[in-house]
Amino acid sequence: MTIGTLARAAGVSVETVRYYERRELLEQPERGDGYRRYSEADVERLKFVRRAKELGFTLAEIKDLLVSAECRSASGILAAARVKLGEVEERIVALGSLRDRLDGLVRTCERDDEDCVGLEVAG
């Protein structure tokens, strides 16, 4: 299949395909009849990358995940998922703290408190 067909089948843009090739997440096939021809395996690889991105993995992390996926090793993916889950939980805690501080600022400003303009929020 051509690059355009590949991109549509995987739900990404042609530029995304080229970018992933430059980042070595997808091999660039040799030109046969003047066009690069991609396979169904390339579609599945791109879908894997897209799903991993949706789960919050970076491209560098996805490169490692692809190695585990190619080896059919769940242990590598499990370890990466546990690390990512820990990072997400830390961000949830940090966002909860930020939410509380912003809520305090809103309450301060609603009282027309002078502290509002200085972004002073009682702990």
Side-chain angles (χ1 to χ4, degrees):
M1 68 185 79
T2 65
I3 193 169
T5 304
L6 170 69
R8 280 188 299 281
V12 299
S13 70
V14 169
E15 274 309 307
T16 298
V17 173
R18 290 184 179 126
Y19 179 71
Y20 289 165
E21 287 175 340
R22 288 191 303 272
R23 293 293 305 264
E24 299 178 352
L25 294 168
L26 180 68
E27 283 189 37
Q28 192 176 72
E30 296 297 319
R31 291 182 186 269
D33 54 357
Y35 295 97
R36 298 185 193 284
R37 296 291 178 188
Y38 296 87
S39 69
E40 190 60 37
D42 294 320
V43 172
E44 294 308 313
R45 188 175 183 92
L46 283 175
K47 286 180 178 180
F48 180 94
V49 172
R50 193 184 76 229
R51 286 190 304 267
K53 280 186 55 70
E54 289 169 355
L55 289 168
F57 289 99
T58 66
L59 294 183
E61 292 167 335
I62 293 169
K63 204 170 190 181
D64 292 336
L65 289 174
L66 283 165
V67 172
S68 293
E70 288 168 355
C71 296
R72 310 296 299 162
S73 169
S75 62
I77 293 174
L78 173 61
R82 284 182 172 153
V83 168
K84 186 57 67 178
L85 180 59
E87 292 170 2
V88 167
E89 289 172 347
E90 288 174 9
R91 287 185 6 220
I92 288 170
V93 169
L95 285 170
S97 174
L98 177 59
R99 180 197 58 227
D100 294 344
R101 291 173 43 220
L102 286 169
D103 184 55
L105 179 61
V106 166
R107 283 185 275 122
T108 297
C109 292
E110 287 174 341
R111 289 191 309 263
D112 202 26
D113 194 313
E114 286 185 21
D115 290 337
C116 178
V117 295
L119 299 180
E120 297 289 331
V121 180

